[in-house]
Amino acid sequence: MRYRTDKGAHSVYSLQFHYVACVKYRKKVFSDNISSRLKEINLSVAEKFGVEIIEQ
């Protein structure tokens, strides 16, 4: 896997974040339309902040 790296004056780095949403109950909470709406919101926020979603 190749990482996109950024450079500073004396460093090279790659920032990656993990966003985990935990539900309160063990039963299935996300229906198909809620899941698709959540994906739309995540893509909208990612575009706004200029980040790339690798897996969802």
Side-chain angles (χ1 to χ4, degrees), residues 16-47:
Q16 294 185 355
F17 298 93
H18 295 269
Y19 169 72
V20 178
C22 298
V23 295
K24 186 174 180 179
Y25 303 104
R26 291 180 183 223
K27 63 183 179 180
K28 186 174 180 177
V29 177
F30 297 125
S31 63
D32 289 337
N33 62 355
I34 292 175
S35 179
S36 64
R37 178 66 180 137
L38 182 61
K39 287 180 183 180
E40 290 175 12
I41 293 170
N42 286 339
L43 291 173
S44 168
V45 171
E47 182 179 334

